[in-house]
């Protein structure tokens, strides 16, 4: 069964460094999302991406965040200059079309900023 | 404002006991509501969606618009039901999910 795949599973980075979290959505899916979950808190929406552009973003998704789909396969989340408070589990999700109600999630990348 | 509230962080029951995980929502339009489950060391996966009115693994959830609730129920809990359960609302033009804080269900033998 096709799955959303995220790499790496765990990333440790120093404060101020740039990180790129990678996701491979299910191949025929058109809508892509990033969510994050700070330890002990709820899963929060960051950004949605459709037709090679951001379709919606939350207030969390400020200028230090960016997303792209460089090669039609990978879907990446870049954090330009990490802060301690960026430490969280980051989840990628995809769904096939606008009418589909089920989002398929990756297993997550745990980002630890030290 | 769009919001999902799960008032219980932890629900601890014995095997065979009934389970009800509470979820209340706030949404200005017609909501689409879901329950997602995350078993230990596994990814978030869809358990139920209200439009399907289905029963999955013995779980059911009924949307009550008057009480703005979507509680998840199972008459007889099993140990393998132990997991994190997240209630979620689908909103916005691009169908983002708005999650509740989650309830950890622990089913003891």
């Amino acid at each position: 069964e096709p799955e959303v795949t995220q790499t790496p599973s765990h990333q440790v980075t120093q404060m101020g460094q740039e990180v790129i979290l990678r996701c491979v959505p299910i191949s025929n899916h058109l809508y892509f999302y990033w969510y994050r979950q700070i330890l002990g808190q709820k899963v929060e929406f960051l950004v949605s991406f459709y037709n090679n552009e951001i379709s919606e973003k939350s207030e969390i998704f400020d200028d230090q965040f960016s997303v792209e789909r460089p090669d039609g396969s990978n879907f990446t989340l870049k954090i330009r200059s990490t802060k301690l408070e960026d430490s969280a589990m980051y989840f990628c999700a995809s769904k096939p079309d606008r009418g589909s109600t089920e989002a398929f999630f990756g297993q997550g990348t745990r980002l630890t900023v030290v | 404002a769009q919001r999902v509230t799960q008032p219980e962080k932890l629900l601890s029951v014995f095997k065979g006991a009934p389970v009800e995980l509470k979820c209340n929502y706030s949404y200005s339009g017609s909501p689409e509501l879901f329950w997602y489950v995350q078993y230990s060391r596994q990814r978030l996966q869809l358990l139920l969606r209200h439009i399907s009115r289905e029963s999955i693994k013995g779980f059911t959830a009924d949307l009550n618009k008057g009480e703005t609730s979507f509680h998840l129920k199972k008459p007889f809990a099993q140990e393998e039901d132990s997991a994190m359960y997240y209630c979620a609302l689908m909103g916005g033009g691009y169908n983002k999910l708005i999650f509740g804080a989650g309830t950890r269900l622990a089913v003891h033998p």
Side-chain angles (χ1 to χ4, degrees), chain A residues 33-83:
Chain A
Y33 307 85
W34 282 101
Y35 293 85
R36 80 168 184 195
Q37 186 177 31
I38 295 171
L39 188 64
Q41 298 186 26
K42 62 174 65 179
V43 177
E44 300 173 290
F45 167 75
L46 290 178
V47 66
S48 61
F49 192 85
Y50 169 71
N51 200 27
N52 280 321
E53 59 184 25
I54 290 173
S55 45
E56 188 175 359
K57 60 184 180 180
S58 72
E59 59 204 24
I60 302 167
F61 194 88
D62 61 23
D63 291 345
Q64 70 158 343
F65 290 92
S66 62
V67 289
E68 63 175 3
R69 196 149 185 256
D71 56 12
S73 169
N74 291 285
F75 178 50
T76 61
L77 174 70
K78 184 193 293 186
I79 309 175
R80 255 181 281 284
S81 176
T82 50
K83 307 187 197 81

Side-chain angles (χ1 to χ4, degrees), chain A residues 4 33 35 56 95 98, chain B residues 43 86 93-97:
Chain A
V4 176
Y33 307 85
Y35 293 85
E56 188 175 359
K95 68 188 190 89
R98 190 167 184 156
Chain B
R43 66 191 66 210
Y86 295 95
Y94 292 90
N95 300 155
K96 67 176 183 282
L97 287 167

Side-chain angles (χ1 to χ4, degrees), chain A residues 3-5 31 33 35 37 40-45 48 50 55-56 91 95 97-107, chain B residues 3-5 9 32 34 36 38 42-46 49 51 84 86 90-102:
Chain A
E3 289 183 334
V4 176
T5 306
Y31 288 79
Y33 307 85
Y35 293 85
Q37 186 177 31
Q41 298 186 26
K42 62 174 65 179
V43 177
E44 300 173 290
F45 167 75
S48 61
Y50 169 71
S55 45
E56 188 175 359
F91 295 104
K95 68 188 190 89
D97 51 53
R98 190 167 184 156
S100 173
T101 54
E102 181 173 0
F104 294 82
F105 282 81
Q107 76 276 30
Chain B
R3 190 170 55 246
V4 177
T5 304
K9 282 194 170 177
E32 289 190 60
F34 306 85
Y36 277 80
Q38 188 173 32
Q42 294 187 29
R43 66 191 66 210
L44 273 165
Q45 54 188 282
L46 179 67
R49 67 198 98 187
I51 55 171
M84 278 297 290
Y86 295 95
M90 183 171 277
Y94 292 90
N95 300 155
K96 67 176 183 282
L97 287 167
I98 299 157
F99 285 91

Side-chain angles (χ1 to χ4, degrees), chain B residues 13-37:
Chain B
V13 301
F14 287 104
K15 178 181 167 182
V19 162
E20 183 179 47
L21 287 81
K22 294 191 179 349
C23 172
N24 288 90
Y25 67 90
S26 172
Y27 187 67
S28 55
S30 285
E32 289 190 60
L33 285 147
F34 306 85
W35 278 97
Y36 277 80
V37 61

Side-chain angles (χ1 to χ4, degrees), chain B residues 63-91:
Chain B
L63 177 62
N64 185 324
K65 290 188 179 180
E67 295 182 358
T68 59
S69 68
F70 188 56
H71 303 325
L72 183 67
K73 299 177 186 177
K74 184 168 183 177
F76 307 104
Q78 304 299 314
E79 288 178 68
E80 55 266 29
D81 296 328
S82 296
M84 278 297 290
Y85 290 81
Y86 295 95
C87 184
L89 173 65
M90 183 171 277

